[in-house]
Amino acid sequence: MKVLGVDLGGTKIKIGVLDEIGNIEKIYLYPTKEPIYESLEKAIDEVVAIHSNIAAIGIGTPGFVDREKGKVIFSSENLPGWSGTEVKKKLESKFHIPVIVENDANVAALAEVKFGAAKGYDNALMLTLGTGVGGGVIVDGKILYGPNGAVGEFGHMILYPGGHLCNCGRRGCQEQYVSGRSLERRMREANVDMTPSALMQAKKHNQIAGAIIDDFTYDLALSISSLQAAFDMDILILGGGVSHSAEYWLGDLNKHLKNLLFHPLKVEVAKLKNDAGMIGAAQLMFMA
Ligand SMILES: [Zn+2]
């Protein structure tokens, strides 16, 4: 059986043709255009026209998703007009095959558990450190859901009450301390004029860079210790753009974690990188 795994992003739509063990037969890329739904449907239509044996479609999308209805409850301004879209209903009436819609961070977590860094673990938490911070929780091999489709919004757990203003309107959210943007803020405040990846590489011979990384990894360790207290997972996967430089700071993170965790925790960097959303979205169909 072949299924489509669709990773809908703010700039591109990535569609993979996959089998149940995660093998990717072919990947197609399309630009995300407005109106978003029409752009998505057209892209899928083109792939389905090439592959006549597609049995189902899994979609990973940013935002909160009503999984039962396959409807986007809320999505940010990155995807104008996307909030409220009945994705499942519309795609099923167009293509006449089953469609499952899920939050993109959740499907990435699922992909890492099935085929990536958390393979072999049933209880995993993925913390995605990108421009913002998000994630997904896998319990007994399945995505953990809430009634509002908002499990894994780790970026808005408050780390420092009264701290930096977050774009959610509150102060001190974790996103303001461990995201890519927060690293840039730390560098601005310290008058460090280099890219975040140059900063990571400079930490050994640059005291200011070392201090920034120490603060960043301490805050990340604080966040992870709270997540362990809440979820008691077997393994924590770090994903997102910030995780790409983890080789330079994972040691610092583990040093801080030693003093903050209740019990040892395996921390790994995501393996599937940019394919995780697509692979996880396809996998949804085999979990149903
Ligand atoms: Zn916030």
Side-chain angles (χ1 to χ4, degrees):
M1 181 165 90
K2 293 281 156 56
V3 303
L4 294 189
V6 181
D7 181 9
L8 174 69
T11 56
K12 59 180 186 288
I13 300 168
K14 191 172 187 181
I15 304 180
V17 180
L18 293 97
D19 65 17
E20 66 268 31
I21 50 169
N23 291 318
I24 303 167
E25 186 177 304
K26 187 94 181 155
I27 296 174
Y28 299 88
L29 284 175
Y30 298 89
T32 307
K33 291 180 186 164
E34 292 179 49
I36 309 292
Y37 175 78
E38 281 72 7
S39 164
L40 175 70
E41 185 187 289
K42 187 168 174 286
I44 293 173
D45 202 22
E46 286 188 31
V47 177
V48 169
I50 301 164
H51 300 266
S52 56
N53 57 343
I54 302 300
I57 304 168
I59 312 260
T61 169
F64 300 160
V65 176
D66 178 330
R67 193 171 191 255
E68 294 281 304
K69 292 186 181 147
K71 177 182 170 180
V72 179
I73 301 168
F74 172 79
S75 184
S76 74
E77 63 275 13
N78 280 345
L79 294 170
W82 187 236
S83 294
T85 306
E86 305 237 23
V87 186
K88 176 182 167 74
K89 194 171 158 189
K90 289 175 113 171
L91 287 177
E92 284 185 346
S93 71
K94 164 79 180 170
F95 295 106
H96 310 290
I97 52 176
V99 174
I100 296 184
V101 186
E102 180 54 78
N103 169 268
D104 54 0
N106 283 348
V107 296
L110 181 65
E112 290 293 341
V113 164
K114 291 290 163 189
F115 309 111
K119 193 176 173 187
Y121 293 92
D122 282 339
N123 299 293
L125 188 146
M126 183 158 171
L127 186 58
T128 310
L129 310 174
T131 314
V133 171
V137 182
I138 305 294
V139 176
D140 294 333
K142 291 180 180 162
I143 295 170
L144 182 68
Y145 299 104
N148 305 300
V151 169
E153 289 300 318
F154 304 130
H156 302 288
M157 287 166 55
I158 291 176
L159 194 62
Y160 292 111
H164 287 279
L165 184 64
C166 184
N167 47 19
C168 73
R170 302 181 306 166
R171 285 190 173 273
C173 289
Q174 178 170 300
E175 186 161 293
Q176 302 309 314
Y177 299 88
V178 299
S179 64
R181 274 207 192 116
S182 76
L183 265 177
E184 288 164 11
R185 171 185 59 76
R186 289 178 196 272
M187 290 163 69
R188 258 195 327 272
E189 286 172 359
N191 287 320
V192 172
D193 187 19
M194 54 176 100
T195 64
S197 62
L199 174 92
M200 301 299 177
Q201 293 171 48
K203 75 162 189 180
K204 278 214 172 85
H205 53 266
N206 182 323
Q207 215 176 355
I208 298 171
I212 291 174
I213 291 165
D214 194 52
D215 288 348
F216 159 72
T217 50
Y218 175 73
D219 287 346
L220 184 55
L222 273 183
S223 308
I224 292 172
S225 72
S226 295
L227 292 171
Q228 185 190 46
F231 294 101
D232 190 21
M233 56 283 188
D234 297 319
I235 182 168
L236 181 128
I237 308 298
L238 292 169
V242 177
S243 76
H244 297 173
S245 64
E247 62 180 295
Y248 299 108
W249 50 260
L250 205 54
D252 303 73
L253 175 66
N254 280 318
K255 183 190 77 190
H256 289 306
L257 281 174
K258 242 182 213 165
N259 302 321
L260 290 165
L261 292 176
F262 285 126
H263 32 257
L265 174 67
K266 198 172 167 63
V267 177
E268 294 278 339
V269 177
K271 269 203 185 126
L272 303 171
K273 303 280 189 272
N274 297 330
D275 286 340
M278 183 187 69
I279 294 170
Q283 191 61 25
L284 290 170
M285 303 312 306
F286 302 110
M287 308 282 295

